[in-house]
């Protein structure tokens, strides 16, 4: 269920728990530091990023040809292929596959695309039970929350909260919060799910046009368990996941895990090409706004994203506001680019949830200029009239002030006087800046005044 509140409101709610904000910030920054160490220990790291970016540029520019080639090779391999233009069509296809086999239970590994499509809710309404088998996503599912991070879905939760969830839903001892013990309980529960579900659905990390195979990367092996034990294997794939040849996998697999959590490679990088005897394999190619994004020259580079989550781990806004504050399936800086393409009015606030510091662009493994695209989205959103009137008026006032030296100096003097003699006029609950910090002390003089004074002294000497 989508929130009607904007990012600022939801972030303010997250910030009420100061302890949570501090360790959320610290945990993600620790992962960012692991990423840096791993990158610095990898020869030709920047060359790998350049290569990955170039490969993805080639795919975007020739997507039609690669999709046709991929579909042809999939069919040769015995995989049934479907095309879905939007979430509704994707969900209908999945349901029709399950209904044809009279399947009422399915296990699913991590798939942000199915989160985008609201697949679990869609199937639940039609009597089909779906269990998310990724541990983080499973925790979020039993708490009736969406993932807050594309790699670390429950990073915002404390271990004590997870312990309470497991006590309520899995019958663990009350007060148990040891991560190792909780993981063992989840593993035992999910093992039974894997053994009893006739259908399994996975996402797709990379798809190879040359061979008609796709690769799923996990650290828990849950995608493998579901796919290998099921009668029906379904893969949901965004159009942008293609790469031209199998040899290109070496570039992306070296970048993905290092950029995500700082480890050399994901524990399981599993290739799926042909169904085993007696098994059905289905792959659904989903557009859902990808074509529209390709048609926007300023933003099409965002389709290069390999969903590593590196931009989230480094973003000072994301770390302090939490992923759920973005009210979109994909959160953080990359989500703030992708979301307005789907619904500009609903997500008009997200490109403004950024300092434009450029840290996201610096860590992106495929060199998407994320902060530049966020800035461009702001311009588009303002021109389309989706910005609140108070923001429009304040920006016009700022533009007028900064374009007039006299007004600029007058405003500076006025501001300094207020800070010195009437600080309550700024330090109050109506000033959003003051909600999380004090206003700075007023300087004795402006830079302009200091400069004029020192130039006069220099000329005298």
């Amino acid at each position: 269920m989508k929130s009607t509140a904007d990012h600022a409101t939801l972030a303010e709610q997250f910030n009420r728990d100061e302890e949570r904000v501090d360790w959320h910030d610290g945990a993600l920054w620790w992962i960012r530091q692991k990423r840096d160490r791993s990158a610095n220990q990898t020869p030709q790291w920047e060359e790998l990023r350049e290569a990955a970016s170039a490969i993805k540029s080639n795919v975007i520019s020739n997507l039609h040809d690669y999709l046709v080639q991929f579909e042809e090779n999939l069919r040769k391999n015995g995989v049934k292929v479907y095309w879905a233009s939007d979430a509704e069509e994707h969900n209908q296809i999945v349901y029709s596959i399950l209904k044809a086999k009279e399947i009422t239970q399915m296990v699913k590994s991590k798939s942000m695309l199915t989160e985008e499509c609201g697949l679990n809710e869609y199937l639940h309404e039609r009597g089909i039970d779906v269990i998310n088998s990724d541990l983080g996503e499973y925790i979020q599912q039993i708490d009736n929350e969406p993932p807050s991070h594309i790699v670390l879905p429950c990073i915002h939760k404390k271990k004590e909260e997870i312990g309470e969830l497991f006590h309520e839903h899995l019958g663990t001892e009350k007060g148990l919060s040891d991560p190792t013990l909780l993981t063992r309980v989840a593993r035992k529960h999910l093992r039974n799910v894997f053994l009893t579900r006739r259908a399994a659905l996975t996402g797709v990390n990379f798809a190879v046009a040359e061979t008609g195979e796709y690769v799923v990367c996990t650290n828990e092996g849950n995608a493998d368990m579901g796919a290998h034990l099921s009668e029906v294997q379904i893969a949901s794939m965004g159009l942008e996941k293609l790469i031209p040849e199998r040899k290109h996998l070496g570039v992306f697999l070296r970048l993905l895990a290092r950029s995500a959590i700082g480890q050399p490679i994901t524990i399981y990088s599993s290739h799926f090409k042909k169904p085993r005897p007696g098994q059905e394999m289905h792959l659904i190619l989903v557009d859902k706004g990808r074509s529209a994004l390709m048609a926007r020259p300023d933003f099409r580079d965002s389709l290069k994203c390999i969903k590593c989550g590196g931009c989230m781990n480094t973003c000072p806004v994301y770390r302090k506001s939490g992923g759920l504050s973005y009210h979109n399936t994909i959160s953080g800086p990359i989500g703030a680019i992708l979301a307005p393409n789907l619904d500009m009015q609903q997500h008009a606030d997200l490109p403004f949830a950024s300092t434009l510091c450029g840290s996201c662009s610096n860590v992106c493994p495929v060199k998407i200029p994320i902060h530049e695209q966020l800035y461009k989205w702001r311009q588009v959103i303002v021109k389309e009239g989706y910005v609140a009137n108070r923001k429009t008026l304040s920006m016009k006032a700022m533009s007028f002030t900064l374009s007039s030296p006299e007004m600029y100096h007058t405003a500076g003097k006025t501001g300094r006087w207020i800070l010195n003699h009437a600080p309550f006029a700024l330090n109050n609950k109506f000033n959003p800046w003051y909600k999380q910090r004090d206003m700075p002390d007023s300087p004795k003089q402006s830079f302009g005044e200091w400069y004029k004074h020192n130039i006069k002294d220099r000329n005298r000497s």
Side-chain angles (χ1 to χ4, degrees):
M1 182 175 179
K2 290 185 179 298
S3 171
T4 55
D6 64 6
H7 177 270
T9 303
L10 295 169
E12 187 175 5
Q13 294 171 9
F14 185 74
N15 273 261
R16 289 172 188 163
D17 188 340
E18 189 171 339
E19 182 186 356
R20 185 190 304 275
V21 173
D22 288 344
W23 63 252
H24 184 266
D25 178 31
L28 290 168
W29 186 248
W30 176 69
I31 295 171
R32 159 68 204 268
Q33 290 175 313
K34 286 179 63 183
R35 174 264 175 206
D36 289 349
R37 287 193 292 271
S38 184
N40 291 333
Q41 294 168 3
T42 305
Q44 297 89 40
W45 177 257
E46 289 305 316
E47 287 85 346
L48 284 169
R49 292 179 69 209
E50 287 285 355
S53 182
I55 292 167
K56 282 291 189 177
S57 291
N58 173 267
V59 169
I60 293 170
S61 299
N62 301 281
L63 187 58
H64 172 267
D65 294 333
Y66 287 127
L67 284 170
V68 171
Q69 181 186 14
F70 182 56
E71 180 187 27
E72 182 181 334
N73 287 324
L74 281 169
R75 295 191 188 281
K76 288 179 180 177
N77 294 336
V79 180
K80 297 180 181 180
V81 185
Y82 309 79
W83 297 81
S85 60
D86 55 25
E88 181 68 20
E89 196 169 355
H90 166 269
N91 294 344
Q92 287 175 353
I93 292 168
V94 175
Y95 178 63
S96 67
I97 294 169
L98 299 176
K99 188 177 180 181
K101 302 294 289 186
E102 299 182 342
I103 293 174
T104 58
Q105 294 181 319
M106 183 174 74
V107 62
K108 182 164 74 70
S109 68
K110 188 185 294 180
S111 165
M112 297 308 294
L113 177 57
T114 60
E115 292 289 339
E116 283 184 57
C117 295
L119 177 65
N120 286 16
E121 296 80 5
Y122 181 94
L123 294 178
H124 178 73
E125 291 171 359
R126 287 156 180 79
I128 295 178
D129 181 54
V130 182
I131 296 292
N132 292 335
S133 61
D134 174 269
L135 179 56
E137 283 209 323
Y138 176 70
I139 291 167
Q140 288 300 95
Q141 183 181 20
I142 62 175
D143 198 25
N144 198 31
E145 271 191 347
S148 71
H149 189 290
I150 55 181
V151 175
L152 310 161
C154 65
I155 185 65
H156 62 294
K157 276 187 167 58
K158 300 176 182 178
K159 60 185 180 181
E160 291 79 11
E161 293 171 330
I162 296 171
E164 282 301 308
L165 284 171
F166 278 32
H167 171 68
E168 179 183 351
H169 293 275
L170 300 180
T172 57
E173 179 185 348
K174 189 170 180 61
L176 179 65
S177 62
D178 181 274
T180 300
L181 296 179
L182 292 173
T183 301
R184 286 175 181 168
V185 171
R187 179 186 295 164
K188 182 178 180 180
H189 171 73
L190 290 171
R191 182 60 57 93
N192 181 62
V193 171
F194 290 127
L195 291 171
T196 57
R197 305 265 157 151
R198 295 169 53 207
L201 186 146
T202 72
V204 173
N205 289 95
F206 306 104
V208 184
E210 175 190 37
T211 60
E213 66 188 297
Y214 59 92
V215 177
V216 181
C217 302
T218 70
N219 277 328
E220 300 171 20
N222 55 308
D224 291 357
M225 288 285 288
H228 294 320
L229 293 172
S230 64
E231 298 174 23
V232 178
Q233 181 183 347
I234 306 170
S236 296
M237 172 187 152
L239 302 181
E240 79 284 5
K241 295 293 187 177
L242 277 173
I243 59 174
E245 300 176 27
R246 180 185 278 178
K247 67 181 181 182
H248 297 140
L249 278 171
V251 174
F252 291 97
L253 292 177
R254 292 179 71 190
L255 288 167
L256 178 60
R258 289 179 170 91
S259 297
I261 52 176
Q263 67 186 47
I265 197 166
T266 46
I267 305 301
Y268 300 93
S269 297
S270 306
H271 296 238
F272 297 98
K273 187 174 181 181
K274 296 181 179 181
R276 69 171 187 274
Q279 185 191 47
E280 292 182 11
M281 280 182 68
H282 305 260
L283 186 137
I284 309 169
L285 289 157
V286 186
D287 188 328
K288 199 178 183 300
R290 272 90 173 155
S291 296
L293 195 58
M294 282 186 64
R296 298 180 184 270
D298 286 337
F299 306 109
R300 64 190 313 205
D301 269 4
S302 57
L303 288 171
K304 295 179 179 180
C305 177
I306 59 173
K307 304 298 189 295
C308 69
C311 61
M312 301 176 186
N313 302 336
T314 196
C315 177
V317 177
Y318 177 91
R319 297 199 319 264
K320 290 288 189 179
S321 63
L324 299 181
S325 66
Y326 288 81
H327 57 87
N328 184 56
T329 303
I330 309 296
S331 56
I334 189 63
I337 297 171
L338 298 173
N341 175 68
L342 298 173
D343 189 330
M344 196 183 305
Q345 184 172 5
Q346 182 182 353
H347 301 298
D349 58 310
L350 295 184
F352 295 89
S354 169
T355 64
L356 300 182
C357 65
S359 185
C360 48
S361 302
N362 289 340
V363 302
C364 178
V366 288
K367 307 196 79 169
I368 302 170
I370 299 174
H371 71 293
E372 293 178 8
Q373 294 197 3
L374 288 170
Y375 177 61
K376 289 176 181 176
W377 261 125
R378 293 183 185 187
Q379 295 173 309
V380 172
I381 288 167
V382 169
K383 288 179 181 178
E384 294 294 328
Y386 292 130
V387 175
N389 289 334
R390 65 181 183 275
K391 186 183 287 288
T392 302
L393 291 173
S394 64
M395 289 299 102
K396 287 182 178 179
M398 183 66 72
S399 177
F400 175 73
T401 302
L402 294 177
S403 62
S404 168
E406 291 182 0
M407 283 298 301
Y408 177 75
H409 292 309
T410 301
K413 286 181 179 179
T414 303
R416 290 195 298 278
W417 188 92
I418 292 174
L419 283 171
N420 284 326
H421 299 93
F424 57 85
L426 294 174
N427 289 341
N428 59 63
K429 63 181 181 180
F430 299 106
N431 179 3
W433 181 273
Y434 184 63
K435 290 179 181 179
Q436 301 297 332
R437 58 186 71 79
D438 292 327
M439 295 298 290
D441 294 333
S442 171
K444 294 180 180 179
Q445 58 183 172
S446 69
F447 172 76
E449 291 169 344
W450 175 88
Y451 183 76
K452 286 181 180 179
H453 177 75
N454 281 272
I455 286 295
K456 287 180 181 178
D457 288 348
R458 185 177 297 175
N459 290 338
R460 287 180 190 144
S461 62

